[in-house]
PDB file of all heavy atoms in Angstrom:
ATOM      1  N   LEU A 265       6.203  -2.196 -11.118  1.00  0.00           N
ATOM      2  CA  LEU A 265       6.930  -2.077 -12.372  1.00  0.00           C
ATOM      3  C   LEU A 265       8.413  -2.008 -12.079  1.00  0.00           C
ATOM      4  O   LEU A 265       8.867  -1.151 -11.304  1.00  0.00           O
ATOM      5  CB  LEU A 265       6.472  -0.805 -13.134  1.00  0.00           C
ATOM      6  CG  LEU A 265       7.067  -0.613 -14.484  1.00  0.00           C
ATOM      7  CD1 LEU A 265       6.727  -1.779 -15.428  1.00  0.00           C
ATOM      8  CD2 LEU A 265       6.552   0.707 -15.092  1.00  0.00           C
ATOM      9  N   THR A 266       9.212  -2.915 -12.601  1.00  0.00           N
ATOM     10  CA  THR A 266      10.645  -2.961 -12.383  1.00  0.00           C
ATOM     11  C   THR A 266      11.383  -2.715 -13.688  1.00  0.00           C
ATOM     12  O   THR A 266      10.757  -2.613 -14.748  1.00  0.00           O
ATOM     13  CB  THR A 266      11.077  -4.338 -11.810  1.00  0.00           C
ATOM     14  OG1 THR A 266      10.978  -5.311 -12.862  1.00  0.00           O
ATOM     15  CG2 THR A 266      10.216  -4.759 -10.635  1.00  0.00           C
ATOM     16  N   THR A 267      12.669  -2.664 -13.626  1.00  0.00           N
ATOM     17  CA  THR A 267      13.487  -2.455 -14.844  1.00  0.00           C
ATOM     18  C   THR A 267      13.407  -3.638 -15.783  1.00  0.00           C
ATOM     19  O   THR A 267      13.782  -3.513 -16.941  1.00  0.00           O
ATOM     20  CB  THR A 267      14.935  -2.191 -14.469  1.00  0.00           C
ATOM     21  OG1 THR A 267      15.443  -3.285 -13.699  1.00  0.00           O
ATOM     22  CG2 THR A 267      15.105  -0.874 -13.671  1.00  0.00           C
ATOM     23  N   VAL A 268      12.957  -4.804 -15.313  1.00  0.00           N
ATOM     24  CA  VAL A 268      12.828  -5.979 -16.193  1.00  0.00           C
ATOM     25  C   VAL A 268      11.361  -6.309 -16.462  1.00  0.00           C
ATOM     26  O   VAL A 268      11.048  -7.398 -16.940  1.00  0.00           O
ATOM     27  CB  VAL A 268      13.553  -7.210 -15.564  1.00  0.00           C
ATOM     28  CG1 VAL A 268      15.053  -6.981 -15.533  1.00  0.00           C
ATOM     29  CG2 VAL A 268      13.027  -7.538 -14.196  1.00  0.00           C
ATOM     30  N   GLY A 269      10.480  -5.410 -16.134  1.00  0.00           N
ATOM     31  CA  GLY A 269       9.056  -5.635 -16.415  1.00  0.00           C
ATOM     32  C   GLY A 269       8.217  -5.609 -15.140  1.00  0.00           C
ATOM     33  O   GLY A 269       8.715  -5.315 -14.054  1.00  0.00           O
ATOM     34  N   GLN A 270       6.959  -5.958 -15.305  1.00  0.00           N
ATOM     35  CA  GLN A 270       6.025  -5.937 -14.203  1.00  0.00           C
ATOM     36  C   GLN A 270       6.067  -7.240 -13.435  1.00  0.00           C
ATOM     37  O   GLN A 270       6.179  -8.328 -14.034  1.00  0.00           O
ATOM     38  CB  GLN A 270       4.639  -5.707 -14.783  1.00  0.00           C
ATOM     39  CG  GLN A 270       3.556  -5.488 -13.767  1.00  0.00           C
ATOM     40  CD  GLN A 270       2.243  -5.104 -14.443  1.00  0.00           C
ATOM     41  OE1 GLN A 270       2.247  -4.352 -15.419  1.00  0.00           O
ATOM     42  NE2 GLN A 270       1.164  -5.625 -13.955  1.00  0.00           N
ATOM     43  N   ILE A 271       6.049  -7.140 -12.081  1.00  0.00           N
ATOM     44  CA  ILE A 271       5.984  -8.341 -11.248  1.00  0.00           C
ATOM     45  C   ILE A 271       4.781  -8.170 -10.303  1.00  0.00           C
ATOM     46  O   ILE A 271       4.371  -7.082  -9.984  1.00  0.00           O
ATOM     47  CB  ILE A 271       7.258  -8.567 -10.437  1.00  0.00           C
ATOM     48  CG1 ILE A 271       7.530  -7.418  -9.452  1.00  0.00           C
ATOM     49  CG2 ILE A 271       8.456  -8.805 -11.341  1.00  0.00           C
ATOM     50  CD1 ILE A 271       8.570  -7.728  -8.413  1.00  0.00           C
ATOM     51  N   THR A 272       4.264  -9.316  -9.862  1.00  0.00           N
ATOM     52  CA  THR A 272       3.173  -9.305  -8.909  1.00  0.00           C
ATOM     53  C   THR A 272       3.583 -10.018  -7.636  1.00  0.00           C
ATOM     54  O   THR A 272       4.116 -11.132  -7.689  1.00  0.00           O
ATOM     55  CB  THR A 272       1.924 -10.004  -9.495  1.00  0.00           C
ATOM     56  OG1 THR A 272       1.495  -9.283 -10.646  1.00  0.00           O
ATOM     57  CG2 THR A 272       0.770 -10.044  -8.492  1.00  0.00           C
ATOM     58  N   ILE A 273       3.392  -9.346  -6.521  1.00  0.00           N
ATOM     59  CA  ILE A 273       3.606  -9.941  -5.205  1.00  0.00           C
ATOM     60  C   ILE A 273       2.241 -10.520  -4.789  1.00  0.00           C
ATOM     61  O   ILE A 273       1.298  -9.742  -4.567  1.00  0.00           O
ATOM     62  CB  ILE A 273       4.058  -8.915  -4.184  1.00  0.00           C
ATOM     63  CG1 ILE A 273       5.342  -8.209  -4.650  1.00  0.00           C
ATOM     64  CG2 ILE A 273       4.250  -9.548  -2.796  1.00  0.00           C
ATOM     65  CD1 ILE A 273       5.711  -6.977  -3.870  1.00  0.00           C
ATOM     66  N   PRO A 274       2.108 -11.840  -4.684  1.00  0.00           N
ATOM     67  CA  PRO A 274       0.820 -12.384  -4.294  1.00  0.00           C
ATOM     68  C   PRO A 274       0.481 -12.040  -2.826  1.00  0.00           C
ATOM     69  O   PRO A 274       1.358 -11.792  -2.012  1.00  0.00           O
ATOM     70  CB  PRO A 274       1.010 -13.889  -4.434  1.00  0.00           C
ATOM     71  CG  PRO A 274       2.450 -14.141  -4.661  1.00  0.00           C
ATOM     72  CD  PRO A 274       3.113 -12.839  -4.930  1.00  0.00           C
ATOM     73  N   ALA A 275      -0.825 -11.969  -2.562  1.00  0.00           N
ATOM     74  CA  ALA A 275      -1.285 -11.658  -1.191  1.00  0.00           C
ATOM     75  C   ALA A 275      -0.624 -12.603  -0.199  1.00  0.00           C
ATOM     76  O   ALA A 275      -0.533 -13.802  -0.435  1.00  0.00           O
ATOM     77  CB  ALA A 275      -2.799 -11.756  -1.104  1.00  0.00           C
ATOM     78  N   GLN A 276      -0.153 -12.063   0.921  1.00  0.00           N
ATOM     79  CA  GLN A 276       0.503 -12.864   1.971  1.00  0.00           C
ATOM     80  C   GLN A 276      -0.360 -13.001   3.214  1.00  0.00           C
ATOM     81  O   GLN A 276       0.101 -13.535   4.225  1.00  0.00           O
ATOM     82  CB  GLN A 276       1.833 -12.176   2.353  1.00  0.00           C
ATOM     83  CG  GLN A 276       2.787 -11.965   1.195  1.00  0.00           C
ATOM     84  CD  GLN A 276       3.318 -13.285   0.643  1.00  0.00           C
ATOM     85  OE1 GLN A 276       3.819 -14.112   1.374  1.00  0.00           O
ATOM     86  NE2 GLN A 276       3.154 -13.488  -0.648  1.00  0.00           N
ATOM     87  N   ALA A 277      -1.600 -12.496   3.134  1.00  0.00           N
ATOM     88  CA  ALA A 277      -2.539 -12.556   4.272  1.00  0.00           C
ATOM     89  C   ALA A 277      -3.953 -12.706   3.739  1.00  0.00           C
ATOM     90  O   ALA A 277      -4.205 -12.446   2.587  1.00  0.00           O
ATOM     91  CB  ALA A 277      -2.409 -11.292   5.145  1.00  0.00           C
ATOM     92  N   SER A 278      -4.870 -13.106   4.613  1.00  0.00           N
ATOM     93  CA  SER A 278      -6.256 -13.367   4.176  1.00  0.00           C
ATOM     94  C   SER A 278      -7.126 -12.113   4.281  1.00  0.00           C
ATOM     95  O   SER A 278      -8.243 -12.136   3.769  1.00  0.00           O
ATOM     96  CB  SER A 278      -6.848 -14.493   5.010  1.00  0.00           C
ATOM     97  OG  SER A 278      -6.842 -14.148   6.382  1.00  0.00           O
ATOM     98  N   HIS A 279      -6.659 -11.040   4.930  1.00  0.00           N
ATOM     99  CA  HIS A 279      -7.431  -9.816   4.985  1.00  0.00           C
ATOM    100  C   HIS A 279      -6.533  -8.590   5.023  1.00  0.00           C
ATOM    101  O   HIS A 279      -5.334  -8.721   5.217  1.00  0.00           O
ATOM    102  CB  HIS A 279      -8.426  -9.852   6.154  1.00  0.00           C
ATOM    103  CG  HIS A 279      -7.824 -10.071   7.508  1.00  0.00           C
ATOM    104  ND1 HIS A 279      -7.427 -11.325   7.945  1.00  0.00           N
ATOM    105  CD2 HIS A 279      -7.506  -9.220   8.502  1.00  0.00           C
ATOM    106  CE1 HIS A 279      -6.919 -11.215   9.161  1.00  0.00           C
ATOM    107  NE2 HIS A 279      -6.944  -9.957   9.507  1.00  0.00           N
ATOM    108  N   LEU A 280      -7.148  -7.428   4.857  1.00  0.00           N
ATOM    109  CA  LEU A 280      -6.385  -6.172   4.786  1.00  0.00           C
ATOM    110  C   LEU A 280      -6.000  -5.695   6.196  1.00  0.00           C
ATOM    111  O   LEU A 280      -6.768  -5.858   7.140  1.00  0.00           O
ATOM    112  CB  LEU A 280      -7.237  -5.109   4.127  1.00  0.00           C
ATOM    113  CG  LEU A 280      -7.808  -5.397   2.734  1.00  0.00           C
ATOM    114  CD1 LEU A 280      -8.613  -4.194   2.260  1.00  0.00           C
ATOM    115  CD2 LEU A 280      -6.705  -5.752   1.764  1.00  0.00           C
ATOM    116  N   PRO A 281      -4.844  -5.073   6.328  1.00  0.00           N
ATOM    117  CA  PRO A 281      -4.476  -4.472   7.608  1.00  0.00           C
ATOM    118  C   PRO A 281      -5.338  -3.218   7.844  1.00  0.00           C
ATOM    119  O   PRO A 281      -5.618  -2.465   6.909  1.00  0.00           O
ATOM    120  CB  PRO A 281      -2.997  -4.115   7.414  1.00  0.00           C
ATOM    121  CG  PRO A 281      -2.825  -3.960   5.964  1.00  0.00           C
ATOM    122  CD  PRO A 281      -3.785  -4.922   5.327  1.00  0.00           C
ATOM    123  N   LYS A 282      -5.747  -3.016   9.092  1.00  0.00           N
ATOM    124  CA  LYS A 282      -6.544  -1.851   9.475  1.00  0.00           C
ATOM    125  C   LYS A 282      -5.630  -0.783  10.062  1.00  0.00           C
ATOM    126  O   LYS A 282      -4.785  -1.087  10.915  1.00  0.00           O
ATOM    127  CB  LYS A 282      -7.589  -2.226  10.539  1.00  0.00           C
ATOM    128  CG  LYS A 282      -8.696  -3.099  10.027  1.00  0.00           C
ATOM    129  CD  LYS A 282      -9.701  -3.329  11.122  1.00  0.00           C
ATOM    130  CE  LYS A 282     -10.846  -4.221  10.665  1.00  0.00           C
ATOM    131  NZ  LYS A 282     -11.838  -4.427  11.693  1.00  0.00           N
ATOM    132  N   ILE A 283      -5.846   0.471   9.620  1.00  0.00           N
ATOM    133  CA  ILE A 283      -5.093   1.591  10.145  1.00  0.00           C
ATOM    134  C   ILE A 283      -6.090   2.676  10.523  1.00  0.00           C
ATOM    135  O   ILE A 283      -7.045   2.952   9.788  1.00  0.00           O
ATOM    136  CB  ILE A 283      -4.089   2.133   9.117  1.00  0.00           C
ATOM    137  CG1 ILE A 283      -3.066   1.077   8.709  1.00  0.00           C
ATOM    138  CG2 ILE A 283      -3.344   3.356   9.666  1.00  0.00           C
ATOM    139  CD1 ILE A 283      -2.098   1.502   7.659  1.00  0.00           C
ATOM    140  N   THR A 284      -5.872   3.337  11.673  1.00  0.00           N
ATOM    141  CA  THR A 284      -6.700   4.421  12.122  1.00  0.00           C
ATOM    142  C   THR A 284      -5.835   5.487  12.783  1.00  0.00           C
ATOM    143  O   THR A 284      -4.614   5.325  12.858  1.00  0.00           O
ATOM    144  CB  THR A 284      -7.831   3.939  13.083  1.00  0.00           C
ATOM    145  OG1 THR A 284      -8.791   4.989  13.224  1.00  0.00           O
ATOM    146  CG2 THR A 284      -7.283   3.507  14.401  1.00  0.00           C
ATOM    147  N   ASN A 285      -6.421   6.565  13.197  1.00  0.00           N
ATOM    148  CA  ASN A 285      -5.734   7.633  13.873  1.00  0.00           C
ATOM    149  C   ASN A 285      -6.781   8.618  14.437  1.00  0.00           C
ATOM    150  O   ASN A 285      -7.933   8.573  14.025  1.00  0.00           O
ATOM    151  CB  ASN A 285      -4.787   8.380  12.926  1.00  0.00           C
ATOM    152  CG  ASN A 285      -3.768   9.244  13.628  1.00  0.00           C
ATOM    153  OD1 ASN A 285      -3.659   9.223  14.853  1.00  0.00           O
ATOM    154  ND2 ASN A 285      -3.027  10.018  12.855  1.00  0.00           N
ATOM    155  N   THR A 286      -6.361   9.509  15.322  1.00  0.00           N
ATOM    156  CA  THR A 286      -7.269  10.547  15.799  1.00  0.00           C
ATOM    157  C   THR A 286      -7.243  11.788  14.921  1.00  0.00           C
ATOM    158  O   THR A 286      -7.956  12.760  15.186  1.00  0.00           O
ATOM    159  CB  THR A 286      -6.914  10.935  17.245  1.00  0.00           C
ATOM    160  OG1 THR A 286      -5.564  11.370  17.305  1.00  0.00           O
ATOM    161  CG2 THR A 286      -7.129   9.767  18.190  1.00  0.00           C
ATOM    162  N   SER A 287      -6.414  11.808  13.865  1.00  0.00           N
ATOM    163  CA  SER A 287      -6.437  12.849  12.860  1.00  0.00           C
ATOM    164  C   SER A 287      -6.286  12.119  11.504  1.00  0.00           C
ATOM    165  O   SER A 287      -6.615  10.954  11.405  1.00  0.00           O
ATOM    166  CB  SER A 287      -5.386  13.914  13.102  1.00  0.00           C
ATOM    167  OG  SER A 287      -4.123  13.373  13.058  1.00  0.00           O
ATOM    168  N   SER A 288      -5.736  12.762  10.490  1.00  0.00           N
ATOM    169  CA  SER A 288      -5.591  12.109   9.192  1.00  0.00           C
ATOM    170  C   SER A 288      -4.876  10.758   9.363  1.00  0.00           C
ATOM    171  O   SER A 288      -3.850  10.670  10.053  1.00  0.00           O
ATOM    172  CB  SER A 288      -4.819  13.001   8.238  1.00  0.00           C
ATOM    173  OG  SER A 288      -5.518  14.178   7.957  1.00  0.00           O
ATOM    174  N   ILE A 289      -5.360   9.766   8.694  1.00  0.00           N
ATOM    175  CA  ILE A 289      -4.835   8.407   8.901  1.00  0.00           C
ATOM    176  C   ILE A 289      -3.619   8.162   7.990  1.00  0.00           C
ATOM    177  O   ILE A 289      -2.582   7.664   8.452  1.00  0.00           O
ATOM    178  CB  ILE A 289      -5.937   7.380   8.628  1.00  0.00           C
ATOM    179  CG1 ILE A 289      -7.028   7.595   9.706  1.00  0.00           C
ATOM    180  CG2 ILE A 289      -5.408   5.961   8.698  1.00  0.00           C
ATOM    181  CD1 ILE A 289      -8.362   6.969   9.380  1.00  0.00           C
ATOM    182  N   VAL A 290      -3.724   8.495   6.720  1.00  0.00           N
ATOM    183  CA  VAL A 290      -2.564   8.446   5.821  1.00  0.00           C
ATOM    184  C   VAL A 290      -2.376   9.851   5.243  1.00  0.00           C
ATOM    185  O   VAL A 290      -3.281  10.376   4.606  1.00  0.00           O
ATOM    186  CB  VAL A 290      -2.765   7.419   4.684  1.00  0.00           C
ATOM    187  CG1 VAL A 290      -1.553   7.415   3.744  1.00  0.00           C
ATOM    188  CG2 VAL A 290      -3.054   6.031   5.223  1.00  0.00           C
ATOM    189  N   ASN A 291      -1.199  10.416   5.497  1.00  0.00           N
ATOM    190  CA  ASN A 291      -0.838  11.688   4.924  1.00  0.00           C
ATOM    191  C   ASN A 291       0.084  11.428   3.735  1.00  0.00           C
ATOM    192  O   ASN A 291       1.174  10.847   3.901  1.00  0.00           O
ATOM    193  CB  ASN A 291      -0.124  12.560   5.972  1.00  0.00           C
ATOM    194  CG  ASN A 291      -1.076  13.037   7.018  1.00  0.00           C
ATOM    195  OD1 ASN A 291      -2.008  13.804   6.722  1.00  0.00           O
ATOM    196  ND2 ASN A 291      -0.871  12.597   8.231  1.00  0.00           N
ATOM    197  N   CYS A 292      -0.364  11.837   2.563  1.00  0.00           N
ATOM    198  CA  CYS A 292       0.370  11.557   1.326  1.00  0.00           C
ATOM    199  C   CYS A 292       1.517  12.547   1.117  1.00  0.00           C
ATOM    200  O   CYS A 292       1.529  13.653   1.660  1.00  0.00           O
ATOM    201  CB  CYS A 292      -0.560  11.700   0.131  1.00  0.00           C
ATOM    202  SG  CYS A 292      -1.924  10.559   0.157  1.00  0.00           S
ATOM    203  N   ALA A 293       2.454  12.128   0.299  1.00  0.00           N
ATOM    204  CA  ALA A 293       3.483  12.985  -0.255  1.00  0.00           C
ATOM    205  C   ALA A 293       3.393  12.819  -1.775  1.00  0.00           C
ATOM    206  O   ALA A 293       2.474  12.196  -2.277  1.00  0.00           O
ATOM    207  CB  ALA A 293       4.860  12.576   0.267  1.00  0.00           C
ATOM    208  N   ASN A 294       4.332  13.353  -2.517  1.00  0.00           N
ATOM    209  CA  ASN A 294       4.316  13.263  -3.961  1.00  0.00           C
ATOM    210  C   ASN A 294       4.632  11.843  -4.443  1.00  0.00           C
ATOM    211  O   ASN A 294       5.522  11.183  -3.916  1.00  0.00           O
ATOM    212  CB  ASN A 294       5.289  14.238  -4.576  1.00  0.00           C
ATOM    213  CG  ASN A 294       4.917  15.678  -4.306  1.00  0.00           C
ATOM    214  OD1 ASN A 294       3.788  16.073  -4.627  1.00  0.00           O
ATOM    215  ND2 ASN A 294       5.772  16.417  -3.691  1.00  0.00           N
ATOM    216  N   ASN A 295       3.881  11.415  -5.462  1.00  0.00           N
ATOM    217  CA  ASN A 295       4.121  10.148  -6.134  1.00  0.00           C
ATOM    218  C   ASN A 295       4.044   8.939  -5.218  1.00  0.00           C
ATOM    219  O   ASN A 295       4.887   8.056  -5.232  1.00  0.00           O
ATOM    220  CB  ASN A 295       5.483  10.185  -6.878  1.00  0.00           C
ATOM    221  CG  ASN A 295       5.579   9.102  -7.915  1.00  0.00           C
ATOM    222  OD1 ASN A 295       4.631   8.754  -8.553  1.00  0.00           O
ATOM    223  ND2 ASN A 295       6.777   8.547  -8.047  1.00  0.00           N
ATOM    224  N   ASN A 296       3.017   8.885  -4.368  1.00  0.00           N
ATOM    225  CA  ASN A 296       2.780   7.722  -3.503  1.00  0.00           C
ATOM    226  C   ASN A 296       1.830   6.738  -4.195  1.00  0.00           C
ATOM    227  O   ASN A 296       1.092   7.109  -5.113  1.00  0.00           O
ATOM    228  CB  ASN A 296       2.111   8.113  -2.188  1.00  0.00           C
ATOM    229  CG  ASN A 296       3.011   8.920  -1.276  1.00  0.00           C
ATOM    230  OD1 ASN A 296       2.521   9.725  -0.502  1.00  0.00           O
ATOM    231  ND2 ASN A 296       4.320   8.729  -1.320  1.00  0.00           N
ATOM    232  N   GLU A 297       1.842   5.520  -3.727  1.00  0.00           N
ATOM    233  CA  GLU A 297       0.837   4.521  -4.082  1.00  0.00           C
ATOM    234  C   GLU A 297       0.328   3.880  -2.804  1.00  0.00           C
ATOM    235  O   GLU A 297       1.105   3.489  -1.938  1.00  0.00           O
ATOM    236  CB  GLU A 297       1.412   3.431  -5.019  1.00  0.00           C
ATOM    237  CG  GLU A 297       0.377   2.455  -5.467  1.00  0.00           C
ATOM    238  CD  GLU A 297       0.893   1.481  -6.498  1.00  0.00           C
ATOM    239  OE1 GLU A 297       2.080   1.554  -6.905  1.00  0.00           O
ATOM    240  OE2 GLU A 297       0.107   0.590  -6.891  1.00  0.00           O
ATOM    241  N   ILE A 298      -0.975   3.818  -2.653  1.00  0.00           N
ATOM    242  CA  ILE A 298      -1.624   3.263  -1.470  1.00  0.00           C
ATOM    243  C   ILE A 298      -2.572   2.176  -1.914  1.00  0.00           C
ATOM    244  O   ILE A 298      -3.537   2.455  -2.646  1.00  0.00           O
ATOM    245  CB  ILE A 298      -2.352   4.344  -0.652  1.00  0.00           C
ATOM    246  CG1 ILE A 298      -1.393   5.493  -0.289  1.00  0.00           C
ATOM    247  CG2 ILE A 298      -3.022   3.742   0.583  1.00  0.00           C
ATOM    248  CD1 ILE A 298      -2.081   6.754   0.131  1.00  0.00           C
ATOM    249  N   SER A 299      -2.322   0.951  -1.487  1.00  0.00           N
ATOM    250  CA  SER A 299      -3.120  -0.199  -1.960  1.00  0.00           C
ATOM    251  C   SER A 299      -3.247  -1.268  -0.899  1.00  0.00           C
ATOM    252  O   SER A 299      -2.273  -1.591  -0.195  1.00  0.00           O
ATOM    253  CB  SER A 299      -2.440  -0.778  -3.197  1.00  0.00           C
ATOM    254  OG  SER A 299      -3.049  -1.964  -3.625  1.00  0.00           O
ATOM    255  N   GLY A 300      -4.445  -1.817  -0.769  1.00  0.00           N
ATOM    256  CA  GLY A 300      -4.635  -2.956   0.118  1.00  0.00           C
ATOM    257  C   GLY A 300      -4.724  -2.626   1.574  1.00  0.00           C
ATOM    258  O   GLY A 300      -4.385  -3.444   2.427  1.00  0.00           O
TER     259      GLY A 300
END
């Protein structure tokens, strides 16, 4: 959502990136968005 309306960034890859860790993989903060 931008100041001039909603825009879509089309997928730039054929599959999702993989993320791992030996403890929490993604640690959130306030007002985050996690997608794809």
Side-chain angles (χ1 to χ4, degrees):
L265 184 59
T266 71
T267 57
V268 294
Q270 188 172 320
I271 63 167
T272 298
I273 303 167
Q276 302 293 308
S278 60
H279 56 281
L280 305 180
K282 290 183 180 182
I283 300 177
T284 194
N285 195 8
T286 57
S287 62
S288 296
I289 297 162
V290 178
N291 289 296
C292 300
N294 295 304
N295 198 36
N296 292 151
E297 183 174 359
I298 303 163
S299 173

